[in-house]
Amino acid sequence: MRLHKIPVSLFVPSLPRPLLHCCCRSALFANRSTASHRRLGTDSHAPHHVIGQDSLEVLGHSYPRDDFTNVTPKILEKVGRNLHNQPHHPLWLIKERIKAHIYSSYVGRWGNPLFSVHDNLSPVVTLEQNFDSLLIPPDHPSRKRGDNYYLNRKTMLRAHTSAHQRELVRSGLDAFLLAGDVYRRDEIDTSHYPVFHQMEGVRLFSNHELFSKVQNGEELSLFERGGRRTPNKQEAHTLEAVKLVEFDLKHTLTRLVTHLFGEDLEIRWVDCYFPFTHPSFEMEVRFQGDWMEVLGCGVMEQELLNSAGAGNKAGWAFGLGLERLAMVLYGIPDIRLFWSQDERFLKQFRVQDIEQPVCFQALSKYPPLHNDISFWLPESKESEDGQESFTENDFYELVRSVGGDLVEKVTLVDEFTHPKTRRRSQCYRIIYRHMERTLSQQEVRLVHEQIERSAQTELGVQGRY
């Protein structure tokens, strides 16, 4: 998952700005005739969700609403779309390439794949799954209502696929890949979207598995008593065990990333912090002259494995963002495109071989339109549970709810504090751009006026327009 302002996304780093584009040697060129603009009807297959006065119905289950409920109709429209499972979608291509590589590289005793794949788990999880199972403390800032989509105080849309780690380990799995859609309230630009997709892997080792190929390995052990935590190891692990697990992890990921980017790739490892691994690392690759983060990983916290009934094993975990890889490898410039049903976009990824190079051929670049909005903020207050009365994410979410994918970017361009009243004012610039046609200022103005009205009624701001 991704480390942002706070480690809510856990493992997956944020996209670089400006986004680095790929240099492709070959591409599938899409027919640009009017007939090719026909849309695929994937929305018709999306599950029906209902937000009622007292309850929500999501994926066929009903959840009571309370004061924490903040999921919106626009977000629920995405639940169940499962872009990573739609054949020949670019996210599906990336997932299948990773899966095929891991399948062929790691084979069990009888010739079957060592890793199992789980890519259809429900994104509705409990707070215990999303936070507690990963050792994230109750007062951690990543739990903030302003950063997540809550169905109620006990249930949410997962913020990372690691929410399922403990349950899969508890089921007896020692090696698995996990892919799915995750949800986070975030800023608005071409590289951030409230729904994105992650893929992660976990591998556990018994004492025999880890040391079987080591000289005098029968004399070595995963664990030690009375050990202490250092920057290089957890208190429960022997240094020999940690070094072998770390070597296997880095070797696995180096092979995976060079498979995706090419054999001449430069790689470096950076020490970092995640709540559920120690030691922890981020991998950076040299891409078009710059170092770029591509994934996070580490040795799993033994406390997590103990709670999942795997206390006799040690292991590693990694996580990466599928959109991030696809945007770089295929040269996709705007994250909103992954949700497009424009045939000109989708057609480019219908390849016979998943390893076939693809470089996205841009649709016509339609001109942007921008409008500013200024308002006085409500008086700064915090609720009993520490939640702020207004956050920037609240405004971003309102803009998404009203403007949807017409909005390309929202930027805070000015802040002002009145010298006498101490009231605070903010000014945001909203850039509108349709991915498939030219917008008129008249239709944008209608959307913008609705945003202005909604900001006053829903967020309690006072307009300065």
Side-chain angles (χ1 to χ4, degrees):
M1 282 133 260
R2 166 186 76 148
L3 276 178
H4 187 209
K5 304 172 205 167
I6 48 179
V8 62
S9 22
L10 311 172
F11 274 167
V12 177
S14 57
L15 279 161
R17 275 186 227 136
L19 183 70
L20 299 172
H21 297 287
C22 70
C23 294
C24 298
R25 291 187 293 268
S26 63
L28 299 180
F29 190 77
N31 187 333
R32 298 194 179 202
S33 67
T34 304
S36 73
H37 293 202
R38 181 181 58 83
R39 300 179 174 215
L40 297 182
T42 52
D43 271 345
S44 63
H45 301 295
H48 183 59
H49 309 292
V50 178
I51 298 182
Q53 184 173 353
D54 301 314
S55 64
L56 301 143
E57 185 177 329
V58 184
L59 296 174
H61 297 276
S62 182
Y63 302 90
R65 297 186 61 172
D66 59 26
D67 60 323
F68 242 55
T69 304
N70 67 353
V71 66
T72 64
K74 289 284 187 186
I75 294 302
L76 286 183
E77 286 176 3
K78 311 296 185 185
V79 177
R81 289 281 301 276
N82 296 328
L83 300 183
H84 61 290
N85 287 338
Q86 293 184 17
H88 301 291
H89 190 279
L91 298 181
W92 175 87
L93 279 179
I94 291 289
K95 183 195 74 171
E96 291 299 309
R97 288 188 67 189
I98 295 171
K99 188 171 76 173
H101 170 77
I102 296 293
Y103 271 3
S104 63
S105 301
Y106 300 93
V107 179
R109 182 182 304 175
W110 309 110
N112 55 308
L114 185 66
F115 283 75
S116 58
V117 176
H118 308 267
D119 57 11
N120 204 28
L121 299 176
S122 172
V124 179
V125 298
T126 64
L127 273 66
E128 198 276 338
Q129 289 174 288
N130 199 78
F131 298 119
D132 300 328
S133 74
L134 296 168
L135 313 178
I136 300 172
D139 60 348
H140 198 279
S142 65
R143 295 176 179 252
K144 281 187 176 181
R145 183 174 180 268
D147 289 341
N148 301 287
Y149 289 105
Y150 287 93
L151 305 187
N152 52 47
R153 282 185 171 268
K154 294 183 178 180
T155 316
M156 64 187 295
L157 297 177
R158 62 188 170 209
H160 40 244
T161 49
S162 294
H164 304 285
Q165 253 187 39
R166 190 175 70 179
E167 65 193 76
L168 292 177
V169 171
R170 181 174 284 163
S171 71
L173 297 176
D174 287 343
F176 57 85
L177 297 174
L178 172 60
D181 44 336
V182 298
Y183 299 78
R184 188 162 313 109
R185 299 174 98 217
D186 209 341
E187 57 199 285
I188 300 176
D189 58 34
T190 57
S191 63
H192 289 83
Y193 201 79
V195 191
F196 56 103
H197 298 74
Q198 292 181 347
M199 192 166 190
E200 64 184 78
V202 168
R203 187 174 186 188
L204 307 183
F205 300 89
S206 66
N207 207 85
H208 172 73
E209 288 170 325
L210 190 62
F211 296 116
S212 62
K213 296 181 181 179
V214 178
Q215 187 175 4
N216 300 321
E218 67 277 0
E219 300 175 9
L220 301 176
S221 175
L222 291 173
F223 308 109
E224 64 179 0
R225 291 185 178 180
R228 62 188 182 89
R229 180 172 289 243
T230 71
N232 297 318
K233 63 180 285 294
Q234 299 171 38
E235 50 268 53
H237 296 154
T238 64
L239 186 58
E240 296 86 358
V242 170
K243 289 304 179 184
L244 280 177
V245 171
E246 180 183 325
F247 175 82
D248 187 84
L249 168 64
K250 291 182 176 179
H251 177 69
T252 299
L253 295 177
T254 298
R255 290 185 64 189
L256 171 62
V257 173
T258 54
H259 170 72
L260 295 174
F261 285 86
E263 292 294 333
D264 56 349
L265 188 71
E266 289 185 70
I267 293 173
R268 71 181 183 186
W269 297 94
V270 179
D271 294 338
C272 62
Y273 166 79
F274 300 114
F276 45 82
T277 56
H278 181 78
S280 303
F281 315 96
E282 285 177 345
M283 177 195 278
E284 295 183 350
V285 300
R286 191 82 169 174
F287 192 76
Q288 295 195 347
D290 292 306
W291 287 105
M292 179 183 67
E293 300 170 15
V294 292
L295 56 83
C297 61
V299 178
M300 295 178 71
E301 283 284 354
Q302 196 60 36
E303 183 181 344
L304 191 158
L305 295 178
N306 293 345
S307 68
N312 62 331
K313 297 177 181 178
W316 52 248
F318 74 85
L320 50 82
L322 294 178
E323 277 89 349
R324 176 187 191 81
L325 290 178
M327 291 176 83
V328 173
L329 290 173
Y330 300 143
I332 298 173
D334 194 310
I335 198 168
R336 292 175 297 164
L337 277 165
F338 290 105
W339 297 90
S340 173
Q341 296 178 74
D342 192 320
E343 181 71 0
R344 295 172 300 169
F345 173 74
L346 298 169
K347 189 175 183 179
Q348 298 182 50
F349 300 94
R350 296 201 186 104
V351 293
Q352 293 183 338
D353 181 354
I354 60 173
E355 300 296 342
Q356 183 175 334
V358 178
C359 187
F360 170 64
Q361 296 294 314
L363 312 179
S364 299
K365 190 69 171 178
Y366 298 101
L369 296 172
H370 77 265
N371 287 258
D372 292 349
I373 177 171
S374 301
F375 46 73
W376 295 106
L377 301 183
E379 290 185 23
S380 180
K381 297 178 183 177
E382 284 193 358
S383 61
E384 295 180 359
D385 53 13
Q387 302 296 325
E388 299 177 19
S389 60
F390 175 90
T391 67
E392 288 183 26
N393 277 352
D394 292 333
F395 180 66
Y396 297 144
E397 192 57 37
L398 182 141
V399 172
R400 284 193 186 100
S401 296
V402 176
D405 286 352
L406 291 183
V407 179
E408 178 175 275
K409 186 174 184 178
V410 179
T411 307
L412 178 62
V413 294
D414 185 52
E415 289 189 274
F416 169 73
T417 301
H418 195 283
K420 293 184 178 180
T421 64
R422 310 310 297 172
R423 293 182 71 190
R424 293 174 56 221
S425 168
Q426 290 183 338
C427 177
Y428 291 87
R429 175 156 296 164
I430 303 177
I431 296 178
Y432 300 87
R433 190 200 310 257
H434 202 289
M435 304 301 296
E436 300 161 12
R437 64 179 177 84
T438 299
L439 290 172
S440 70
Q441 186 61 255
Q442 182 179 5
E443 63 180 317
V444 164
R445 189 60 209 167
L446 291 175
V447 174
H448 198 75
E449 288 174 351
Q450 187 178 348
I451 291 173
E452 292 173 340
R453 292 191 298 269
S454 298
Q456 293 190 99
T457 58
E458 297 181 27
L459 301 181
V461 304
Q462 181 179 346
R464 299 183 65 190
Y465 31 84

